[in-house]
Amino acid sequence: MTAPTSQTPGTAAQQPEEPPRSLVPEPPRQAGVDRFDDAIVVTRTRAWIGLAACLALLIGVIIWATTATVNHTVTGSGVALVNGTITRVESPVAGTVVEWRTDANQLVRASQVLGWVETGNHRRVPLVTPISGRVLNLEVGVGATVVKGQPMSSITAVRGPLVILAFLKPTDAQLVFQGMRALLSFPGGQTFPGQVVHVGALPITRQEVASGIGSPALADIVAPSGSVVAITVAPTGLKAGGGTADAGDVTSVTVIVGSTHPINYVF
């Protein structure tokens, strides 16, 4: 029988040994599944709203750039005419203007006497308007000496379909063709659409413009200098005497010669 072993006083008790570690590595922990010891990052709602707003703005810009159109235009001045013509009153004889019975912008009726010309033998001959309309101008004053056939006054009808006779620089007119769209801006501030129905073949001078429309004063406005090309524009749904435009009114004419999408400027 073995006697029990006695422990020496002052000697510490023997500690139990640690179990041996395994040489097989532990499997990695899956993110978001078993990482309960990490802090959770929460994205604020305002950040998401800002991101969504930026994305919506970007999409809107792309849609606008691919669907919107930018027009290329040329601009000139024109005059509104009933049926595209102006009637001129010419002196039937050579002589001296002794009287005017009307003035510019006044309405006259057909066969009305506008004034008188006195011949060298003191015979007074009336100047008679062939149509009813509005006097655009008086070419000469009282006391002026005139020859037979000299233009004395220009008259335009006041009712009927308006046609715009416009004048462009030759370089701009080269870009304009029949059928192109146009915008007509009248003195009252209203704008009407129109369509080019004729383009002149050759440039003309200011003097030729004055002869064509029968008014040097209007020619000074619509063709102040240099040579120009005449184009004819038919307004849509616009007639003289409708309260918007009158024959003889000067208008700004803008012809749309082309268009493109804004995104084309990027590429």
Side-chain angles (χ1 to χ4, degrees):
M1 188 172 188
T2 306
T5 304
S6 60
Q7 185 176 5
T8 304
T11 303
Q14 187 177 357
Q15 298 295 329
E17 296 181 358
E18 295 182 359
R21 294 184 179 181
S22 174
L23 298 178
V24 179
E26 295 181 1
R29 292 179 295 179
Q30 297 181 1
V33 175
D34 57 348
R35 301 191 64 178
F36 298 106
D37 56 337
D38 292 342
I40 299 176
V41 179
V42 179
T43 303
R44 295 185 178 182
T45 304
R46 286 183 296 179
W48 285 110
I49 294 176
L51 181 60
C54 292
L55 182 60
L57 178 62
L58 178 61
I59 294 175
V61 170
I62 294 175
I63 293 175
W64 172 82
T66 54
T67 58
T69 56
V70 177
N71 292 327
H72 303 289
T73 62
V74 295
T75 304
S77 296
V79 57
L81 305 174
V82 175
N83 297 321
T85 60
I86 289 179
T87 300
R88 292 188 298 182
V89 178
E90 299 178 350
S91 177
V93 294
T96 301
V97 179
V98 294
E99 182 183 0
W100 281 114
R101 291 187 175 182
T102 186
D103 202 350
N105 294 321
Q106 288 189 353
L107 296 177
V108 294
R109 63 183 184 277
S111 301
Q112 179 176 333
V113 175
L114 302 180
W116 297 85
V117 175
E118 186 175 279
T119 64
N121 57 5
H122 303 291
R123 181 170 64 94
R124 290 168 61 106
V125 179
L127 300 171
V128 181
T129 173
I131 65 168
S132 297
R134 182 160 61 95
V135 177
L136 293 178
N137 70 319
L138 303 178
E139 298 282 354
V140 296
V142 174
T145 301
V146 297
V147 297
K148 183 178 180 179
Q150 181 174 333
M152 304 293 290
S153 177
S154 300
I155 301 175
T156 178
V158 294
R159 296 191 180 277
L162 281 175
V163 175
I164 308 302
L165 185 61
F167 302 92
L168 303 176
K169 296 178 182 178
T171 53
D172 291 340
Q174 292 177 357
L175 306 175
V176 179
F177 298 94
Q178 183 177 349
M180 284 185 169
R181 294 183 297 127
L183 296 176
L184 309 171
S185 300
F186 285 88
Q190 290 184 294
T191 301
F192 288 86
Q195 187 177 45
V196 177
V197 295
H198 182 264
V199 180
L202 298 173
I204 56 178
T205 64
R206 191 200 66 82
Q207 289 75 14
E208 290 174 316
V209 172
S211 177
I213 63 178
S215 173
L218 285 176
D220 290 339
I221 298 174
V222 299
S225 61
S227 60
V228 293
V229 174
I231 68 169
T232 304
V233 179
T236 302
L238 184 63
K239 292 184 177 181
T244 301
D246 290 322
D249 283 348
V250 175
T251 177
S252 175
V253 179
T254 301
V255 182
I256 301 172
V257 298
S259 60
T260 186
H261 298 299
I263 198 170
N264 292 336
Y265 292 109
V266 178
F267 299 101

